[in-house]
Every structure is written in C-alpha cells, then in structure tokens.
Amino acid sequence: MEILILGAGVIGLTTAYYLTEQGHKVSILDKNPDVGLETSYANGAQLSYSYVAPLAGPGVIGKVPKWLLDPDSPLRFRPSLDPADICWNLRFMKACNAVQSDKTTRELLQLSFLSRDLLHTLMDTEKLDIDFQASGKMVLHRSTESFNSAVQLLDFQRQLGCEQFALDTDECIAKEPSLAPLKNQITGGIYTPSEEAADCFKFCQNLKTVLLNRGVEFLFEQEVGLLQNNGSSQVSVMLKNRETLSADHIVVALGCESTALLKPLQINVPVRPLKGYSLTLPIHNDSQAPHISITDFERKVVYARIGKRLRIAGMADLVGMNKSIDPNRIKTLIKEAKAVFPEAGNYAQAEQWAGLRPATPKGKPIIDGTQYKNLWLNIGQGALGFTLATGSGKLLADKISGKNPSISGELFSLNNA
C-alpha cells in the first residue's frame, strides 16, 4: 500500500520505519527543509521508560495558584477564553486524581517498555550513531517529604516492572561524583539503572538515511493546507500551493499542529502545546558534568549527557502555539543549571531552544484510526515523544497493516484520550 505520513519528527519517522518493514511504500511530507527540526530537535534527551507518570497527578491542582504567581515556576499557564483551551483545562483537572494517574501510568509503561525493546533492536539492526548511553537515571530530592514519598512508591514501581533503588546523600554522590557540591542540599535520590539517553535529532537524521535506503520519498518544504473529505470515507491532502496528494493511507504525525488540521473534518483531538525549553552545553570540564541522567525533582529540570554535550531541559508553558524563546525562561534554566553543575562548561556558549510538546489532558498519546478509512493519527506523546517513539510507530503500523499489536491498541484510542 502507498502511505503518506504528515510530519518528519521522531514519531513520523518511526512510523515510517515500521511501515516499510511491513512492505509498504511510504512518503513523508514536512514543511521544514529536513527531519527532526521541530519538537524532536533539542528535547530533554532522556529515554525515561520508568518515569511515565502523567503531569495530571493528584497533587497538581493545589500547586497551580503558587505556579501562577511565581514567574520562575516550572509550569506556567496563560489564561485563555478559547473554548478548546477551556475544555482541555477542565479535562486536565478532571484527570488530576490518583485513580486516573495510576491507570495512565500502567498503560504508558506498557508502551514505554515496548519502545525500549524496539529501540534496542533497531539500534542493533541499523547501527545507529546517536550518542546513546545506558547509564541509568537518578531523581534527586531536596526535601525529606518528597524523598520519603518517592521511597514509598518503590514497591508499587517494582510491581510494574521498574527496578529502582533508594540512595542516601552519600550514595548519590558515590554514584555521581559531580553532585558533590550539592551535598548539603540533597536529601536522597531514586536510581533507576535501566534508563537511557540519546540525541533525538541524531536519531532522526540516522533514521532518515535508513529510510532513504529503503526507498522512502521525502517531500520537504511542503506545507499542508487542509485535509479534504472526498465524500467516500476517504481524505486527500491539499497543500498550501493547491496541489492535491492522495494515498491508500494518510498518517497525521504533526504534533500540536494536528488539532487545527483535523478540526474541519469533525475530528476533535485534545492536543495542546506545552512549550518546553532546553540548553545544549559543550562540556569543558568532564569531571564536573554528570555521566548519568539527572532529574532535579523539586526544580523540574533534567540533565542528560549526549556525547561531549550536556542537555539541560525543563519548564512547561501552556501559552498556545507560540514557539518563540522567552529570555526569562532561559535565564531561569541557566540559573538552575549553574546552581547544580556550575563548572561543567561555559553557559554563554550553550545553544538555546524552545519546542512545543503535544500534550493530551491525561498524558496519553493518540495512536488510532478515525471515521475516515484512510486517515490515521499518531499524536499527543507530550514530553515522552522520544521515549515512546518506537512503540508508537510500531503500534500504528500494526494497526494499519491489520496485524495483532504487541499491546492492546485500545489503550491509546481516540476515545480513551
């Protein structure tokens, strides 16, 4: 079958990979001049298979007033009167309970563990050069209360297949010596050996080479104008230049841009942009930069070594489709990073970036078909796009090909979003 994928980010590329494995002829369309130039470009770089709990948790609503008043808060909202934004916010608040959070976590872990296995197989098969490292991840806690809460969750996490260990302050520093300057600020940490890190943009670039060798056609600098209902439960793609493209199947993997594109077809997807920020710091002092991935729990900032660079990422701004880099948010990110790893490198040389994470209220992606026989969705992975990419791509490819997927396809249906 001929399949057209809209979007050349990590989700569109992995979907293409597994569709070509199943013998389909694939084309990928993107408005950018190359792959991976949007949200995939400079994300947090952590492959966090065990840390998939949704943003909508039982304690979030109580924190919102404080976040609204603090300009440096990790989560920032912009008040909106848009009915779609209001609906998303209400659905998000409804999902902020322990029962829903537990259910979502269990479902996402199935997809993340599948993704981990698939990524390992893909790397072995294709010999990818993506600055990959399997060094584990440590979540640092500064308060006794948050650390004790994390320790209490260890048994629950182990039941779900996550091997984790509680470390005291000295054990944290023994595991990651670059944390020594923080000794008086660290209460403890949770270490997960199975967590990994890699450069998502390099992954996209490597995958493009693989796909070109498989005969995939890339249609760069082509922007979708609208999806046309052909009146026979089929859709076609009209580009901004008025050219029309048809295919046996069309996959929408355009992240946050999918919402407006699908709305005229009466497909209402609860996907909104959560803008995140990152710094990519050239490491000048190897001993002063972490070798394992670090998450600063209270500050909501993540650190991952990718080759000779340190990726620092954080923040979540619900401010619409605004992709601009807010200098105040970057200033906050630099301040937090300097407080943790001040001698890792020259922060004036760090590459600054902002990207829009496509988030659903429950924190679950939508990997599903639609009421149109040839239109499919692979969107809404949020901050877990890289972590969930291979599993998401394989799951949708199996659905399109009519194969039995490794995990239940209903878990990530549009109706369950």
Side-chain angles (χ1 to χ4, degrees):
M1 294 185 290
E2 292 190 358
I3 300 175
L4 174 62
I5 297 176
L6 308 180
V10 69
I11 300 299
L13 293 169
T14 50
T15 304
Y17 180 82
Y18 292 107
L19 285 169
T20 57
E21 268 205 336
Q22 295 172 7
H24 302 298
K25 182 179 179 182
V26 177
S27 300
I28 302 177
L29 183 147
D30 198 281
K31 68 180 181 181
N32 292 293
D34 203 350
V35 302
L37 293 179
E38 295 278 342
T39 306
S40 301
Y41 181 70
N43 62 20
Q46 291 188 354
L47 293 160
S48 292
Y49 307 111
S50 300
Y51 288 91
V52 295
L55 180 62
V60 169
I61 293 179
K63 297 176 182 177
V64 170
K66 177 184 175 183
W67 284 337
L68 287 174
L69 295 173
D70 182 3
D72 294 335
S73 68
L75 185 63
R76 186 168 66 180
F77 293 91
R78 184 187 69 186
S80 171
L81 297 178
D82 184 329
D85 287 338
I86 293 172
C87 181
W88 193 97
N89 292 338
L90 290 173
R91 292 175 68 169
F92 176 83
M93 288 189 288
K94 185 179 179 181
C96 289
N97 63 82
V99 173
Q100 182 60 59
S101 179
D102 176 53
K103 181 175 184 294
T104 298
T105 299
R106 289 174 182 272
E107 293 171 350
L108 286 172
L109 282 172
Q110 292 186 53
L111 185 59
S112 72
F113 291 162
L114 172 64
S115 295
R116 179 179 61 198
D117 295 341
L118 289 168
L119 179 61
H120 292 171
T121 300
L122 195 160
M123 288 193 301
D124 289 343
T125 302
E126 307 297 347
K127 311 302 179 187
L128 305 183
D129 175 18
I130 58 173
D131 289 330
F132 175 83
Q133 61 173 29
S135 55
K137 171 177 172 176
M138 187 188 300
V139 179
L140 294 180
H141 292 269
R142 297 169 182 264
S143 76
T144 303
E145 180 184 3
S146 70
F147 180 56
N148 289 341
S149 296
V151 171
Q152 290 172 10
L153 287 173
L154 286 179
D155 287 339
F156 172 70
Q157 288 286 96
R158 289 191 185 106
Q159 292 172 16
L160 300 179
C162 306
E163 183 186 18
Q164 298 179 321
F165 304 93
L167 307 180
D168 63 23
T169 302
D170 289 336
E171 289 170 329
C172 287
I173 294 171
K175 180 68 69 175
E176 180 48 69
S178 65
L179 294 171
L182 286 184
K183 182 172 182 177
N184 294 331
Q185 300 178 43
I186 300 173
T187 300
I190 305 298
Y191 178 65
T192 310
S194 61
E195 305 299 80
E196 300 163 351
D199 187 328
C200 186
F201 178 65
K202 279 192 171 184
F203 177 76
C204 290
Q205 290 286 314
N206 276 240
L207 214 48
K208 180 182 77 168
T209 300
V210 172
L211 293 173
L212 285 170
N213 290 335
R214 290 186 174 189
V216 171
E217 181 183 10
F218 285 88
L219 307 171
F220 291 124
E221 298 183 296
Q222 301 286 337
E223 190 165 359
V224 178
L226 57 88
L227 296 174
Q228 291 182 306
N229 178 359
N230 296 336
S232 57
S233 297
Q234 302 273 330
V235 301
S236 58
V237 177
M238 178 178 284
L239 303 180
K240 286 284 180 72
N241 64 9
R242 311 300 291 178
E243 181 184 354
T244 299
L245 303 176
S246 299
D248 296 317
H249 294 283
I250 296 169
V251 176
V252 176
L254 288 169
C256 301
E257 296 179 4
S258 305
T259 304
L261 183 66
L262 294 164
K263 189 175 181 180
L265 294 176
Q266 306 303 313
I267 302 173
N268 296 311
V269 293
V271 174
R272 285 292 178 272
L274 274 178
K275 181 160 65 172
Y277 296 85
S278 80
L279 303 168
T280 305
L281 178 72
I283 296 173
H284 292 164
N285 191 338
D286 191 71
S287 66
Q288 299 301 309
H291 287 266
I292 65 176
S293 293
I294 300 293
T295 294
D296 189 331
F297 181 80
E298 273 81 7
R299 305 294 196 266
K300 307 301 184 196
V301 178
V302 302
Y303 304 85
R305 181 184 285 248
I306 44 177
K308 296 181 179 180
R309 299 163 296 150
L310 181 63
R311 178 66 51 77
I312 304 152
M315 316 296 179
D317 290 356
L318 192 58
V319 292
M321 292 295 291
N322 180 357
K323 298 179 184 179
S324 65
I325 296 177
D326 184 335
N328 291 323
R329 296 301 256 172
I330 290 293
K331 190 181 299 183
T332 298
L333 198 56
I334 291 174
K335 181 181 73 174
E336 297 290 356
K338 279 186 172 181
V340 180
F341 302 111
E343 304 300 326
N346 183 352
Y347 284 88
Q349 296 176 352
E351 180 184 2
Q352 303 176 4
W353 176 85
L356 303 180
R357 309 180 188 110
T360 62
K362 292 181 183 177
K364 291 170 52 176
I366 301 167
I367 309 167
D368 200 10
T370 67
Q371 64 263 39
Y372 300 91
K373 293 179 181 178
N374 72 331
L375 185 62
W376 302 81
L377 311 177
N378 201 348
I379 55 178
Q381 281 79 6
L384 295 169
F386 193 15
T387 298
L388 302 178
T390 48
S392 297
K394 181 66 161 60
L395 183 57
L396 188 62
D398 287 345
K399 282 192 170 190
I400 292 173
S401 298
K403 296 178 178 290
N404 290 324
S406 303
I407 60 176
S408 171
E410 287 304 305
L411 295 178
F412 306 102
S413 69
L414 179 54
N415 292 333
N416 289 325

